[in-house]
Amino acid sequence: MHRCLELASNGICSVAPNPMVGSVIVKDDCIIGEGFHQQYGGAHAEVNAINSVTNKDWLRNSTLYVNLEPCAHYGKTPPCSELLIQAGIPRVVIGSSDPNPIVNGKGISLLLQAGCKVTTGVLEQEANELNKRFIHFQKKGRPFFILKWAETDDGFIDRLRNPGEIMQPTWITDDVCRMLVHRWRTEEQAVMIGTNTALMDNPQLSARYWPGNQPVKLILDRELKIPIYFNLFRPSAPTYIFNTLINKSEGLIHYVKTDFEDLISNLIHFLNNNGIQSVLIEGGSSLMQSFIERGFWDEARIFTGPVQFGKGLKSPHLSGRCIFEDQISNSRLRILRPAADL
């Protein structure tokens, strides 16, 4: 099962909104096949694992391990549970059940009805952690929201800016930390910022320092103040500008007229309808604080850099339980989750 999870993690940048799944087939204590879900719409892990077995007769005396319950429905591919039955695999070991209502125990039930021996809950906590975005989306009906910011030793995320200042970030961390952030961007389906962050930092919001998926860009710009020549509008990924004025699309740029009176609820509705299960929120402070106050945050990744501003824009305030803390190059990184977790 550890190997299943290792294989599954290879799909982190390419399978969403599907879950990450790996599969290993064992006969006489030897691995005879393995595979993982490589691309959304492509073959599932169990299919790739079975296809990798050189002698299909071995399957009738083997055990298949998979970190998530095999599917039981026809989607972009046929149901994996039926494939396992047809292959004659006598035993299946599963990490966690699939909370998707169209599966949710049906795959396990089909296997049992066919006389297959099924073991569940093996490394279940680790399996759920790997697919936290997918599981959260299925159980809570909204995306997994990750807050990310860098703050100084004295608790500021930015200096006080003067009118006419050059539009660029005030760096608190170093290149190594920034590379890590770009890796995070490849792992999430979308990245979000507000108007002030866009105007002050002129960011690209791309993952140019790390290979992989370019996230969808979600920009909150109520009155369309962000000039079209800003870096955000470079065509690296679909970009959605939420505003109160217009609805129109120009290439990868989509203007979405939105009611800002209940903005977060409207955003969640839009994200759900578009199958976006995870969002990295990178600024600004008031935007992140609004998600915190509504209880719509699921993880916070906070860098503390070795600088002090004395005064400036205060970092968001939240309380939670720390699940990770370490030194990353010149900064300290803490990862927090809400006290009452899924």
Side-chain angles (χ1 to χ4, degrees), residues 9-16 20 133 146 178-191 205-216 278 280 282 301:
S9 66
N10 290 321
I12 192 167
C13 297
S14 56
V15 303
M20 292 173 275
R133 302 160 182 85
I146 302 170
R178 290 195 284 277
M179 186 180 294
L180 177 57
V181 171
H182 283 231
R183 174 184 168 181
W184 290 343
R185 288 177 182 172
T186 69
E187 295 173 353
E188 311 308 330
Q189 288 180 267
V191 58
L205 294 185
S206 65
R208 57 199 178 278
Y209 298 150
W210 195 269
N213 173 62
Q214 292 290 334
V216 170
S278 65
L280 183 65
E282 296 199 33
R301 303 174 184 180

Side-chain angles (χ1 to χ4, degrees), residues 6-41:
E6 183 179 42
L7 288 166
S9 66
N10 290 321
I12 192 167
C13 297
S14 56
V15 303
N18 281 355
M20 292 173 275
V21 184
S23 182
V24 173
I25 303 174
V26 175
K27 179 182 181 295
D28 299 330
D29 294 328
C30 292
I31 292 177
I32 60 171
E34 61 181 31
F36 66 96
H37 185 32
Q38 300 178 16
Q39 188 74 39
Y40 176 68

Side-chain angles (χ1 to χ4, degrees), residues 69 105-114:
E69 176 183 0
K106 296 182 180 70
I108 294 172
S109 180
L110 283 175
L111 293 170
L112 290 171
Q113 290 171 18

Side-chain angles (χ1 to χ4, degrees), residues 182-243:
H182 283 231
R183 174 184 168 181
W184 290 343
R185 288 177 182 172
T186 69
E187 295 173 353
E188 311 308 330
Q189 288 180 267
V191 58
M192 179 189 296
I193 62 169
T195 308
N196 289 338
T197 299
L199 291 174
M200 291 190 292
D201 294 350
N202 192 16
Q204 294 186 42
L205 294 185
S206 65
R208 57 199 178 278
Y209 298 150
W210 195 269
N213 173 62
Q214 292 290 334
V216 170
K217 293 183 273 192
L218 309 172
I219 315 301
L220 310 184
D221 188 13
R222 183 172 188 156
E223 298 174 358
L224 296 180
K225 293 181 178 179
I226 305 170
I228 193 65
Y229 58 82
F230 265 40
N231 291 331
L232 287 172
F233 296 99
R234 293 186 182 183
S236 63
T239 302
Y240 294 89
I241 314 296
F242 298 92
N243 69 94

Side-chain angles (χ1 to χ4, degrees), residues 115-136:
C116 184
K117 182 180 179 181
V118 179
T119 303
T120 61
V122 177
L123 296 185
E124 184 174 21
Q125 184 174 346
E126 291 88 340
N128 287 339
E129 176 64 24
L130 178 70
N131 279 312
K132 61 188 178 185
R133 302 160 182 85
F134 173 79
I135 291 172
H136 182 280

Side-chain angles (χ1 to χ4, degrees), residues 16-323:
N18 281 355
M20 292 173 275
V21 184
S23 182
V24 173
I25 303 174
V26 175
K27 179 182 181 295
D28 299 330
D29 294 328
C30 292
I31 292 177
I32 60 171
E34 61 181 31
F36 66 96
H37 185 32
Q38 300 178 16
Q39 188 74 39
Y40 176 68
H44 287 189
E46 300 94 324
V47 176
N48 289 330
I50 288 173
N51 287 343
S52 74
V53 177
T54 56
N55 185 342
K56 297 302 187 284
D57 290 336
W58 292 344
L59 294 172
R60 298 189 175 275
N61 295 289
S62 67
T63 298
L64 182 139
Y65 294 81
V66 63
N67 61 288
L68 189 70
E69 176 183 0
C71 62
H73 64 287
Y74 284 87
K76 291 185 176 294
T77 61
C80 291
S81 53
E82 290 187 6
L83 174 66
L84 305 189
I85 293 168
Q86 292 167 6
I89 296 171
R91 182 172 181 243
V92 177
V93 179
I94 298 170
S96 63
S97 59
D98 189 334
N100 187 337
I102 60 177
V103 183
N104 197 18
K106 296 182 180 70
I108 294 172
S109 180
L110 283 175
L111 293 170
L112 290 171
Q113 290 171 18
C116 184
K117 182 180 179 181
V118 179
T119 303
T120 61
V122 177
L123 296 185
E124 184 174 21
Q125 184 174 346
E126 291 88 340
N128 287 339
E129 176 64 24
L130 178 70
N131 279 312
K132 61 188 178 185
R133 302 160 182 85
F134 173 79
I135 291 172
H136 182 280
F137 188 82
Q138 296 298 329
K139 288 189 173 183
K140 289 199 171 182
R142 66 166 177 82
F144 191 89
F145 290 117
I146 302 170
L147 310 177
K148 188 281 297 181
W149 72 83
E151 62 185 24
T152 63
D153 272 337
D154 51 353
F156 297 101
I157 64 170
D158 201 358
R159 299 180 184 277
L160 295 178
R161 306 287 190 102
N162 296 316
E165 251 188 84
I166 296 175
M167 296 167 295
Q168 62 182 15
T170 302
W171 294 116
I172 295 171
T173 60
D174 64 8
D175 289 344
V176 173
C177 298
R178 290 195 284 277
M179 186 180 294
L180 177 57
V181 171
H182 283 231
R183 174 184 168 181
W184 290 343
R185 288 177 182 172
T186 69
E187 295 173 353
E188 311 308 330
Q189 288 180 267
V191 58
M192 179 189 296
I193 62 169
T195 308
N196 289 338
T197 299
L199 291 174
M200 291 190 292
D201 294 350
N202 192 16
Q204 294 186 42
L205 294 185
S206 65
R208 57 199 178 278
Y209 298 150
W210 195 269
N213 173 62
Q214 292 290 334
V216 170
K217 293 183 273 192
L218 309 172
I219 315 301
L220 310 184
D221 188 13
R222 183 172 188 156
E223 298 174 358
L224 296 180
K225 293 181 178 179
I226 305 170
I228 193 65
Y229 58 82
F230 265 40
N231 291 331
L232 287 172
F233 296 99
R234 293 186 182 183
S236 63
T239 302
Y240 294 89
I241 314 296
F242 298 92
N243 69 94
T244 59
L245 302 175
I246 58 172
N247 263 321
K248 70 174 183 177
S249 295
E250 299 173 350
L252 290 176
I253 310 301
H254 307 280
Y255 294 88
V256 183
K257 191 173 181 179
T258 307
D259 180 3
F260 272 60
E261 292 305 311
D262 192 7
L263 177 60
I264 293 179
S265 295
N266 292 329
L267 285 173
I268 289 173
H269 180 73
F270 173 88
L271 296 170
N272 287 352
N273 285 346
N274 286 273
I276 295 177
Q277 296 182 357
S278 65
V279 180
L280 183 65
I281 304 176
E282 296 199 33
S285 181
S286 60
L287 172 62
M288 290 189 283
Q289 196 65 53
S290 66
F291 274 81
I292 293 168
E293 290 171 0
R294 290 282 301 272
F296 289 143
W297 71 281
D298 305 292
E299 191 167 285
R301 303 174 184 180
I302 306 166
F303 290 102
T304 303
V307 295
Q308 294 191 358
F309 287 170
K311 59 181 180 179
L313 184 62
K314 293 291 290 184
S315 61
H317 174 73
L318 62 73
S319 59
R321 58 186 182 88
C322 185
I323 64 167

